[in-house]
Structures are given as C-alpha cells and as structure tokens.
Amino acid sequence: SQKIEQNSEALNIQEGKTATLTCNYTNYSPAYLQWYRQDPGRGPVFLLLIRENEKEKRKERLKVTFDTTLKQSLFHITASQPADSATYLCALDLYYGGATNKLIFGTGTLLAVQP
Amino acid sequence: DAMVIQNPRYQVTQFGKPVTLSCSQTLNHNVMYWYQQKSSQAPKLLFHYYDKDFNNEADTPDNFQSRRPNTSFCFLDIRSPGLGDAAMYLCATSRGLTSGANVLTFGAGSRLTVL
C-alpha cells in the first residue's frame, strides 16, 4: 500500500539547536517533494520544494534532503527559535506532466522549540 | 495582497442539514483544490478543478460535491453532514503548470462542527 510517514511523536528541542524532521514514503515515485508549515487552526504554508534529481536544497535556516533510493526526505531547521514551533507537513508532488497533478500529504510532525 | 479566502471560518450545522463552504482567490490560478483535515491527521484531497475540469478522488463520498462557477470561486457542498464530517476544510490553489512543481497556496480553512 502507499504510505507517507512522519515522526508521529512531537519533537521537543532547545532554542538554538538544529531540528531534524523525517518523511518516509512507500510505493510512490514523486517528481518533487514539498514541505509546508501549519500553525494551529490555519492552512499550511509552503516552505521549500526539492526535485527528484536534487540531493539537497537550502533556504536561510532551512535545509531539505531527498534520497529517492531510501524514499526519504529530511527537513532541518538550524538555530531553531520558539517561533519555529508548528506542525511541519511533507507532501509528495505526484506530477508527471500534463494538466492534472496533486499533492499527497503526510500527517505532520509537531515541533516545539523551548526557550 | 493576492490570496485565498475561505468563508465562513467556522460553521456549525445539525446532523443532515446541508452546508456550503466557499473559497475565492485573487491569484488567477488555474487549479483549485478541496482538502479535508481531521484533528492530528494529514490533509486529505477530496477533489480538484483544473479550470472547469473536475477531478474527483476515488474515495471521496458522494455526500461531497463541488462547483466552480468561474476562475475565482469554488464551493464545497456537503449534502447531508454526518458526525464524521466534522473537520477543517481547506481550499488551495495552484498555477497548474505544464512543467515543474505545483506549489499550493492555502486559505485559512473552514472549521465545520456537526451537532
């Protein structure tokens, strides 16, 4: 069966440390993988995307890696701050060209950064 | 600012009483999506429109219908809400590129409570 799995337990870290979130998937072959942030009671907000032929992507304090052999993406937040506390969702972009595409989301990992 | 607006933000209905949720966008995006998100779960795609072309997910119940009268507006109709339909309903848009990833822009969501 097709699955997307993220750390089911909340991740608690101290301010200033690096947070690492994991996204594993089975029986999908995504062209892209995207990461979103979701605050309580709000819609997800896009953060970063990475293509299937890219190993790593960076944006400010964020870094994403993508290993299509392991079927895994890691999402890192360096120098974490309490304001980074939120749920982080990975999404597989099942786009193969043409007009129809869709994103399939994982359940998300709740990150709590303690001051 | 260009954005995705959902109304109402909070909707309370009675078991079996029809509900309509609305979504409008000023981004002029081709694609509009409806996702259902229950507490601590992944957003689940119900259906999407590419322009006027409707794409239903295989496991979306018949109780859920959608209309897109023009590029800017999309509606989600729940014909006979049950207790299990209580959730956050998220509208999202994307450009619907013919190549490349499609990043989603979400609205803030409509929280549905069924009594």
Side-chain angles (χ1 to χ4, degrees):
Chain A
S1 65
Q2 296 174 315
K3 286 194 296 186
I4 307 170
E5 292 180 325
Q6 298 186 246
N7 313 58
S8 57
E9 295 180 6
L11 181 62
N12 290 287
I13 63 167
Q14 284 296 121
E15 182 176 6
K17 301 292 186 184
T18 296
T20 298
L21 286 67
T22 305
C23 177
N24 294 296
Y25 60 92
T26 57
N27 294 325
Y28 284 111
S29 296
Y32 302 88
L33 190 145
Q34 303 187 24
W35 284 88
Y36 288 76
R37 168 182 173 143
Q38 187 173 26
D39 291 289
R42 310 295 295 184
V45 174
F46 171 74
L47 296 174
L48 270 180
L49 71 86
I50 188 164
R51 292 176 173 78
E52 61 180 338
N53 60 355
E54 294 180 315
K55 296 291 186 188
E56 182 179 299
K57 200 79 168 283
R58 291 175 185 261
K59 179 183 175 183
E60 297 173 353
R61 295 184 296 111
L62 308 180
K63 185 177 85 170
V64 174
T65 63
F66 193 13
D67 188 326
T68 53
T69 302
L70 290 178
K71 295 188 181 294
Q72 181 182 77
S73 175
L74 299 178
F75 179 79
H76 306 271
I77 306 175
T78 58
S80 60
Q81 305 164 1
D84 295 327
S85 299
T87 295
Y88 291 85
L89 302 164
C90 74
L92 305 186
D93 189 337
L94 304 180
Y95 172 78
Y96 297 101
T100 300
N101 72 294
K102 56 188 179 184
L103 257 61
I104 306 298
F105 283 86
T107 53
T109 297
L110 177 61
L111 173 66
V113 181
Q114 310 298 331
Chain B
D1 285 341
M3 53 178 54
V4 179
I5 305 293
Q6 292 188 241
N7 282 300
R9 290 293 317 282
Y10 302 93
Q11 176 74 59
V12 180
T13 191
Q14 291 184 327
F15 184 94
K17 188 172 181 183
V19 159
T20 294
L21 307 177
S22 75
C23 178
S24 65
Q25 55 128 344
T26 60
L27 296 160
N28 204 32
H29 282 174
N30 293 320
V31 191
M32 295 187 78
Y33 306 81
W34 280 104
Y35 283 85
Q36 178 194 62
Q37 187 177 28
K38 297 184 178 180
S39 182
S40 301
Q41 294 187 21
K44 178 180 180 299
L45 182 63
L46 296 174
F47 24 60
H48 72 280
Y49 276 94
Y50 190 101
D51 290 333
K52 290 188 181 296
D53 293 333
F54 178 69
N55 297 272
N56 197 31
E57 292 301 298
D59 57 355
T60 297
D62 292 339
N63 198 26
F64 292 87
Q65 304 286 318
S66 185
R67 298 169 283 136
R68 189 178 185 186
N70 54 53
T71 300
S72 301
F73 284 88
C74 195
F75 298 95
L76 170 62
D77 300 307
I78 308 176
R79 293 192 296 188
S80 182
L83 298 178
D85 296 327
M88 175 77 89
Y89 290 88
L90 296 164
C91 173
T93 71
S94 75
R95 290 171 63 188
L97 299 173
T98 55
S99 63
N102 277 274
V103 172
L104 268 56
T105 301
F106 282 88
S110 292
R111 169 78 62 190
L112 177 67
T113 300
V114 182
L115 301 177

